[in-house]
Structure formats: C-alpha cells, structure tokens
Amino acid sequence: MSQNIRTVSLADMSLREACDMFNQSYQHYIVPITFDLPMLTRRIQAEDIDLISSRLLQDDAGAPAGIMLIARRGRISRLAGLGIIPERRGAGMGSRAVALAIAEARARADTHMILEVIETNTVAISTYSRAGFVSRRRLVGYTHDPVQAEDGAVACSIDHALALLMSAYPSDPSWQFSPVCFAGTSASYDAFRTEDNSAAALVDGTGATARLLAFAVTPTERRKAVGRRFMKALLGRFPNKPWAISAAMPENQAAAFLTAT
C-alpha cells in the first residue's frame, strides 16, 4: 500500500452511509460503540462536527477502509473519531489519516488540534504520540445512587440555563463538556436553576439513568453552600433514578465538589 491516502468528504455521503461506516469501523473497539442515525445526528450537532472536513477513508483501490470525524470551533480542530474497519487495520491507514488531519488543519490556519483517547487504548496512543500529540489532562466520569425527591431546583428554558452556564463555566472545559454543545439543541433535555438564578444545570432524564450534562454556580455565590443545596435538589428532581456524568470531564474540574456531593 502506498503512503498516500484516498478520501471522500462526508459531506458527499448520506448520513446513513456515514453511520453504517462508523459502525463498521468501530467493530471490536476497546469499548462497545454503536450509533444509529439519530445518535450520529445529535453528535454532529453537539460536537460541531464539520462534515466537509470529515472523511471516508479508502484503500488504494478506492474501497472503504475507515472513517475520520473532524470537529471545529473557531481555530481549534478536534479529531473527534477515527476508526478503521477490522480487515484494514495494521497497515498504517490510521497514521496516514492522522497526518492528513494535521496537514488540513494547518492549511486552514487552525492553531491547535486536540483529541481524546481511552487511556487503555495503547495502539491509538502510540499512533497519536508518533504524530506529535502530547498528553495534557485526564478526563473522568462520576455516578450517584438514586435519591428521594427534594425541592429547590426550578425548571426553566434551556436558553435561560445556558446564559447562566456560559457566564459561570470554567474557561477551559473539555470539548464534550462545554455548554456550547447544547446551544440550539433539539434534544429533550431538562434545564433547572435556583430561584435566585445563582446556579443552573442541564440534565438528560430520558433514560434509565439521569445524566448530568452541565452544572455551574455563579462566581459570586461559590463557597456559600449554594452548589451543594442545588445539587441535592437537582438529584431529587428525578427520584429513584441513578445518576451519571460521562467520562468527558477534566479530572481537576470540581472534583472535590462532586465527590463531596
């Protein structure tokens, strides 16, 4: 196989074709990953996936070999997904795809390219390290047992909660944990605030486990137990459901608070 790589922009494919290729390329992945069309569509929207820059990867004969998703916000690019179909693995396709992604980011005058990788995925880590990526921080998740109902979390519009979250959130959240992900969302998320608008949160309560998507307290009200009271009330809005925060949160972001609550 040559050192070149053939690709087709995902903008030239249907989303169903892209979804099928995504699932083929992530067979036998280190954790099970399966996407359907609605899930992929929501991910494209939330993560700012750039379909023009994203690629179907092909072998020298033009046969599909994998998929690469590129997300973009301003001058920062993110390698949001890279999968190679099982029979094409081990031939350097992944390394060439990463090199292409970096070259195209430079051509766009992007200042950074970032990615996340599961820390036990040593093959991928080796590929990214050879390409010049360096480890920056660890992302973690949290769980919480079901609780009984509590008062104190007021339902509000997503726009109302987002305005507060955007003003109160850390300046350097992970890509997937930024409130930007939920601007203009069409998903059925629930938004809550305190009565005095000192804290807000977004929750996905549609599944068997409630997922805390975003949570913040205004800077002037921190260290006054506002966050603890609001978290307790928030958990109580979905009584008898376990809770989870996806493993996409920087390890040092609110770790003491989340552990304490």
Side-chain angles (χ1 to χ4, degrees):
M1 190 175 287
S2 72
Q3 293 304 304
N4 296 320
I5 185 168
R6 300 177 64 170
T7 69
V8 174
S9 170
L10 292 195
D12 295 326
M13 302 171 56
S14 72
L15 286 184
R16 186 166 298 281
E17 290 174 318
C19 188
D20 290 344
M21 195 64 219
F22 193 98
N23 288 327
Q24 290 181 51
S25 301
Y26 274 79
Q27 291 182 66
H28 316 307
Y29 188 56
I30 197 165
V31 295
I33 294 181
T34 303
F35 272 83
D36 58 22
L37 194 56
M39 292 169 63
L40 180 59
T41 301
R42 286 194 294 270
R43 183 175 176 190
I44 290 169
Q45 180 185 47
E47 297 181 26
D48 295 305
I49 303 294
D50 180 358
L51 292 177
I52 295 174
S53 300
S54 298
R55 300 280 185 253
L56 169 71
L57 309 176
Q58 299 176 319
D59 64 15
D60 286 345
I67 196 166
M68 179 170 66
L69 300 182
I70 301 294
R72 299 184 64 221
R73 289 178 184 158
R75 290 296 180 188
I76 299 177
S77 290
R78 173 173 173 258
L79 183 54
L82 175 60
I84 308 297
I85 62 176
E87 57 267 31
R88 300 296 183 185
R89 292 171 189 167
M93 179 68 71
S95 295
R96 295 200 295 279
V98 173
L100 174 67
I102 294 172
E104 292 187 337
R106 285 175 174 156
R108 291 191 298 264
D110 289 346
T111 59
H112 295 82
M113 172 165 273
I114 64 173
L115 58 84
E116 300 85 29
V117 59
I118 296 175
E119 60 188 1
T120 55
N121 191 350
T122 55
V123 173
I125 291 172
S126 177
T127 296
Y128 299 137
S129 296
R130 289 196 304 272
F133 287 92
V134 295
S135 178
R136 179 182 171 205
R137 60 185 178 183
R138 191 167 182 256
L139 304 181
V140 299
Y142 296 84
T143 60
H144 197 296
D145 292 334
V147 300
Q148 297 302 308
E150 286 277 346
D151 294 327
V154 180
C156 64
S157 69
I158 289 180
D159 286 347
H160 186 110
L162 275 175
L164 191 152
L165 290 165
M166 292 295 289
S167 67
Y169 234 62
S171 60
D172 191 24
S174 69
W175 192 279
Q176 294 163 288
F177 215 73
S178 169
V180 172
C181 292
F182 310 108
T185 182
S186 59
S188 300
Y189 298 144
D190 292 290
F192 300 96
R193 61 174 177 84
T194 55
E195 290 188 0
D196 61 357
N197 287 309
S198 60
L202 293 178
V203 179
D204 180 358
T206 58
T209 297
R211 295 192 302 123
L212 182 58
L213 305 174
F215 182 102
V217 178
T218 56
T220 57
E221 298 304 311
R222 291 172 189 166
R223 302 187 182 279
K224 298 180 181 179
V226 171
R228 292 192 182 216
R229 290 195 299 269
F230 183 51
M231 180 67 82
K232 186 176 181 180
L234 188 65
L235 296 172
R237 289 300 300 247
F238 297 87
N240 303 318
K241 273 193 178 185
W243 283 74
I245 299 174
S246 298
M249 188 171 185
E251 188 173 30
N252 62 353
Q253 182 180 320
F257 168 76
L258 289 169
T259 301
T261 55

